[in-house]
């Protein structure tokens, strides 16, 4: 059960390591994905480098200062260099101080860095996975490679994180065995142990020697007592008892074999209570393994990646999860068992534009001992649908290193590829917008030169207008020319003229279409320039109030923006309309539903803009 739990933790890391956020270096998004995976559990996921630096830890908010990570052991560094996962030793967490155990997986950073993705659980979690299989009266313990207690069915809190008794540990050699040894209370125990090839931990089951010997002494006593009455009866009874023991032992052996082969383990009906207890423990172990298998199936059905397993040397018979079935156009069958393989479907695969035979695809190559990492393949399904998958595969080996199967994990990056094509189209669209912008610049330059009294004044006016237009372009470029927020445009347009504390801004969030953003940038520049020369911004206590709102109109939403100056010199109606006034009117008149009104109040200039926010068929650059 513990090994199954460790396998489940490793599967969780494998799924998270395929996240696009890790591939792109978006560690904040990866931290969010990790938080969702450990939500409601005692698990902690962290990302670190090969030294002691942590990039994030789900115990703490993203960006918080993190303590140094636990140093890696030489064996762990060697395993990570070979690309292998590691089940680590017990350590005391620097956050909280509890004893925990890690399961770690080497991953590659966005620039090829050697990083480690790890999930840790408290040792009590390991004890909880172990307890259902512990028979009454037995004591089961789990130790790491160093002989430190990971978990113990009894006295767990007093022993976890502490080394085992030296006289006990010196007998735990090799892969498995039995021996007698004293426990912490100096009570004689009959112990059996097994060391895992996967984690390197050892599992020891202990029962008091007196408990094992008691049935034998009772049996001998009754056999002797009955023998005093009648030798024949005692001989018959001895025969029956021996037969019962033999039958119980054979039944116990059969159930142990069933457990190892994945078959159901039935209860054992026997008069030997200890054998019945062991048989019950085997049955509980089988149920626990079944539950862990169901949990693994749930992980495979939940993780947003396609997974294929095979034990077929030709990789034609595969076990697939729901995402793999959906990617290949197959009906998703709920609760598909992990031991029910099916035939692969007939697809055509391409890599770098060249067809790839079935023998050269990742799963087949993994069955030959190769490992593939993040290779792109295009697949054409029988129904004509095309998929682009990012695939990794590796062989599954037994304890002796022989290949017994292979696994492939794939991410569907079809939409990502389409997004790359869309970005190319956006670049072409940007080129088109640049040409339109050059036409706007040419028009502004021509009108400025015609209206300026001299070249120096024309240069200053033209420079200010082009800077304002450029800042609007910067905002639109950051938004891929999909539009701009008015609250972003105002500081960019007004900041070069005066401190923003001279402007009082009030209004709701309004998103402007690109053409209106350019027009407003030029209009605000003209107003701010005029206010610096003749209006409120020319006085030290002058200020400008800018208020706006998006109102409902007959053809959709409509923007109304008011510019109101106060605290400047007295204002009167000008004798003639200058170029700035004419530009304001032309800029807004060119907008769909646009208009501008100017009022020269004694307290300061009041200017009101109006324009449609979402008119049908809006021009690309109305300015």
């Amino acid at each position: 059960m513990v090994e199954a739990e460790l396998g489940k933790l490793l599967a969780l890391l494998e799924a998270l390591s395929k996240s696009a956020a890790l591939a792109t270096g978006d560690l904040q998004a990866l931290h969010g994905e990790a938080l969702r995976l450990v939500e409601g559990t005692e698990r902690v996921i962290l990302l670190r480098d090969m030294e002691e630096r942590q990039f994030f830890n789900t115990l703490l908010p993203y960006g918080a200062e993190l303590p140094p990570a636990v140093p890696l052991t030489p064996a762990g560094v060697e395993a990570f260099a070979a690309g292998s996962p590691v089940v680590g030793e017990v350590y005391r967490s620097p956050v909280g101080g509890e004893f925990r155990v890690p399961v770690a997986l080497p991953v590659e950073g966005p620039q090829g860095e050697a990083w480690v993705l790890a999930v840790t659980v408290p040792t009590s979690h390991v004890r909880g996975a172990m307890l259902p299989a512990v028979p009454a009266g037995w004591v089961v313990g789990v130790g790491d490679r160093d002989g430190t207690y990971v978990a113990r069915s009894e006295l767990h809190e007093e022993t976890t994180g502490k080394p085992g008794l030296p006289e006990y540990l010196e007998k735990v050699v090799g892969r498995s065995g039995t021996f007698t040894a004293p426990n912490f209370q100096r009570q004689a125990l009959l112990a059996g142990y097994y060391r895992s090839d996967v984690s390197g931990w050892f599992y020891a089951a202990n029962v008091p020697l007196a408990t094992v010997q008691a049935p034998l002494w009772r049996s001998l006593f009754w056999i002797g007592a009955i023998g005093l009455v009648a030798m024949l009866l005692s001989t018959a009874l001895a025969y029956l008892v021996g037969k019962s023991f033999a039958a119980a032992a054979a039944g116990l052996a059969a159930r142990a074999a069933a457990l190892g082969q994945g078959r159901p383990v039935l209860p054992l009906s026997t008069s030997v209570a200890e054998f019945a207890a062991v048989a019950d423990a085997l049955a509980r172990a089988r149920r626990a393994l079944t539950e862990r298998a169901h949990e693994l199936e749930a992980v495979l059905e939940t993780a947003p990646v396609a997974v294929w397993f095979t034990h077929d040397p030709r990789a034609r018979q595969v076990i697939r999860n729901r995402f793999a079935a959906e990617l290949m156009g197959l009906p998703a069958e709920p609760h598909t068992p992990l031991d029910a393989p099916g035939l692969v479907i007939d697809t055509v695969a391409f890599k770098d534009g060249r067809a790839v035979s079935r023998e050269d695809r990742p799963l087949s190559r993994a069955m030959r001992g190769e490992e593939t990492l993040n290779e792109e393949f295009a697949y054409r399904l029988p129904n004509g649908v095309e998929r682009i998958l990012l695939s990794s595969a590796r062989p599954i080996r037994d304890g002796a290193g022989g290949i017994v199967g292979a696994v492939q994990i794939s991410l569907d990056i079809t939409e990502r590829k389409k997004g790359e094509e869309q970005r190319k189209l956006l670049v072409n669209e940007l080129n088109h917008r640049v040409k339109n912008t050059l036409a706007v610049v040419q028009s502004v330059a021509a009108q400025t030169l015609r209206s300026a009294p001299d070249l120096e004044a024309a240069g200053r006016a033209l420079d200010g207008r082009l800077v304002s237009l450029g800042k609007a372009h910067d905002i639109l470029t950051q938004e891929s020319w999909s539009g701009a927020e008015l609250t972003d445009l105002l500081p960019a347009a007004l900041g070069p003229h005066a401190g923003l504390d001279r402007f009082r801004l009030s209004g709701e969030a309004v998103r402007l279409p690109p053409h209106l953003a350019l027009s407003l940038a030029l209009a605000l520049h003209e107003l701010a320039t005029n206010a610096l020369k003749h209006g409120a911004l020319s006085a030290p206590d002058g200020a400008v109030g800018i208020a706006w709102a998006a109102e409902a109109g007959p053809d959709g939403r409509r923007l109304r923006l008011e510019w109101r100056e106060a605290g400047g010199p007295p204002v009167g109606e000008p004798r003639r309309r200058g170029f700035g006034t004419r530009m304001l009117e032309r800029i807004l008149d060119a907008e769909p539903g646009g208009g501008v009104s100017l009022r020269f109040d004694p307290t300061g200039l009041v200017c009101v803009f109006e324009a449609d926010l979402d008119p049908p068929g809006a021009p690309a650059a109305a300015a």
Side-chain angles (χ1 to χ4, degrees):
M1 294 69 67
V2 175
E3 292 291 298
E5 182 65 19
L6 296 177
K8 184 171 68 175
L9 295 177
L10 182 57
L12 183 146
L13 291 179
E14 289 280 3
L16 187 59
S17 70
K18 305 304 177 184
S19 169
L22 177 60
T24 59
D26 189 354
L27 299 188
Q28 186 170 5
L30 187 65
H31 178 263
E33 293 180 17
L35 276 176
R36 289 190 290 275
L37 289 175
V38 302
E39 185 177 4
T41 71
E42 296 177 297
R43 301 169 183 164
V44 175
I45 295 179
L46 60 92
L47 181 66
R48 58 172 292 174
D49 61 14
M50 300 300 287
E51 302 300 327
E52 297 183 18
R53 179 189 176 193
Q54 294 193 66
F55 299 108
F56 70 72
N57 188 309
T58 56
L59 273 179
L60 299 173
Y62 183 81
E65 184 176 355
L66 299 174
V70 176
L72 298 176
T73 64
V77 173
E78 182 178 353
F80 289 146
S84 301
V86 171
V87 178
E89 281 71 45
V90 179
Y91 73 99
R92 186 183 290 276
S93 171
V95 180
E98 65 180 347
F99 287 105
R100 303 182 73 89
V101 290
V103 176
L105 182 71
V107 296
E108 187 172 278
Q111 306 298 326
E113 307 95 325
W115 289 353
V116 176
L117 187 63
V119 58
T120 73
V121 295
T123 55
S124 59
H125 187 84
V126 178
R127 179 176 183 263
M130 175 185 68
L131 278 180
V134 179
W138 290 51
V139 177
V140 176
V142 181
D144 63 15
R145 298 181 189 86
D146 297 332
T148 301
Y149 269 105
V150 177
R152 197 169 185 267
S153 60
E154 294 181 4
L155 303 177
H156 170 79
E157 296 298 330
E158 291 84 357
T159 56
T160 184
K162 296 180 181 179
L165 293 174
E167 56 266 39
Y168 190 105
L169 293 177
E170 68 183 8
K171 297 181 180 181
V172 181
V173 295
R175 184 173 181 179
S176 61
T178 59
F179 56 90
T180 57
N183 61 8
F184 285 101
Q185 292 79 27
R186 313 312 299 175
Q187 182 182 16
L189 301 176
L190 176 62
Y193 68 90
Y194 166 82
R195 187 175 294 276
S196 169
D197 294 324
V198 177
S199 63
W201 292 357
F202 70 87
Y203 303 86
N206 309 282
V207 62
L209 194 59
T211 301
V212 177
Q213 294 172 340
L216 179 60
W217 286 114
R218 287 197 299 270
S219 299
L220 292 175
F221 170 79
W222 287 110
I223 291 172
I226 295 173
L228 294 175
V229 178
M231 183 64 69
L232 183 60
L233 184 59
S234 66
T235 303
L237 184 59
Y239 170 78
L240 292 175
V241 171
K243 184 177 180 180
S244 174
F245 267 79
L252 198 61
R255 283 156 178 77
L259 178 64
Q261 297 167 4
R263 294 184 285 108
V265 178
L266 302 176
L268 178 64
S269 177
T270 177
S271 59
V272 184
E274 287 72 17
F275 281 14
V278 173
D280 289 343
L282 293 175
R284 289 195 299 272
R286 176 57 191 164
R287 289 194 295 272
L289 287 175
T290 301
E291 291 173 1
R292 299 295 87 77
H294 290 164
E295 292 173 359
L296 178 58
E297 291 173 6
V299 170
L300 292 176
E301 294 302 302
T302 305
V305 293
V307 182
W308 290 268
F309 292 96
T310 186
H311 299 283
D312 177 11
R314 300 176 64 244
R316 295 295 193 273
Q317 294 279 343
V318 296
I319 300 168
R320 57 177 69 87
N321 70 343
R322 176 170 59 87
F323 287 94
E326 291 175 354
L327 284 182
M328 293 294 104
L330 297 173
E333 299 179 2
H335 309 300
T336 301
L338 294 180
D339 56 354
L343 284 172
V344 295
I345 67 172
D346 189 15
T347 59
V348 181
F350 299 89
K351 183 179 180 184
D352 300 327
R354 297 189 301 273
V356 179
S357 67
R358 175 97 32 204
E359 289 71 23
D360 291 328
R361 300 183 193 181
L363 198 61
S364 299
R365 290 160 55 191
M367 282 301 296
R368 299 195 297 268
E370 300 180 35
E371 291 190 8
T372 60
L373 181 64
N374 295 336
E375 294 188 1
E376 289 187 15
F377 291 86
Y379 291 89
R380 184 179 300 128
L381 307 184
N383 59 7
V385 174
E386 292 191 356
R387 301 279 190 187
I388 302 176
L389 303 183
L390 185 67
S391 299
S392 299
R394 64 175 54 190
I396 301 173
R397 301 180 184 273
D398 59 17
I403 297 175
V404 296
V407 60
Q408 175 182 333
I409 297 178
S410 297
L411 289 173
D412 183 5
I413 60 172
T414 307
E415 294 303 319
R416 190 176 86 186
K417 287 295 184 180
K418 290 180 181 178
E420 292 174 358
E421 294 297 324
Q422 182 67 19
R423 283 193 290 274
K424 293 179 182 178
L425 293 176
L426 287 176
V427 170
N428 294 333
E429 174 67 14
L430 183 59
N431 290 334
H432 173 70
R433 293 189 184 277
V434 168
K435 293 179 181 178
N436 287 342
T437 302
L438 290 177
V440 173
V441 172
Q442 183 180 15
S443 175
V444 171
Q447 295 184 52
T448 301
L449 292 174
R450 283 199 299 268
S451 303
D454 53 53
L455 288 178
E456 183 177 355
R460 289 195 301 270
L462 181 59
D463 181 67
R465 287 164 183 151
L466 293 182
V467 166
S468 180
L469 188 62
K471 289 184 177 297
H473 266 257
D474 288 341
I475 295 173
L476 289 170
T477 300
Q478 294 171 6
E479 298 287 339
S480 300
W481 279 80
S482 63
E485 294 293 336
L486 181 56
T487 51
D488 294 333
L489 182 67
L490 287 170
L494 302 174
H497 300 282
L500 293 179
D501 58 335
R502 303 286 298 276
F503 299 91
R504 300 183 180 89
L505 309 179
S506 63
E508 59 188 295
V510 176
R511 188 165 184 82
L512 307 175
H515 56 90
L516 183 55
L518 292 175
S519 299
L520 276 180
L522 287 173
L524 292 169
H525 166 75
E526 293 301 322
L527 287 172
T529 301
N530 181 74
L532 277 172
K533 291 181 179 179
H534 313 293
L537 299 181
S538 66
D541 297 327
V544 177
I546 303 175
W548 66 90
E551 304 170 346
D555 298 323
R557 295 184 311 136
R558 183 173 177 80
L559 174 68
R560 184 179 188 279
L561 185 146
E562 180 184 87
W563 171 288
R564 183 179 292 274
E565 299 184 17
V571 176
E573 187 77 26
R575 295 174 182 171
R576 65 182 183 88
R577 294 164 63 251
F579 170 67
T581 303
R582 294 197 303 274
M583 173 172 279
L584 285 175
E585 294 172 345
R586 290 178 182 175
I587 287 172
L588 271 299
D589 286 343
E591 291 295 330
V596 60
S597 64
L598 296 170
R599 190 171 74 248
F600 296 91
D601 291 349
T603 57
L605 172 67
V606 178
C607 180
V608 177
F609 297 131
E610 292 185 308
D612 292 339
L613 285 172
D614 41 9

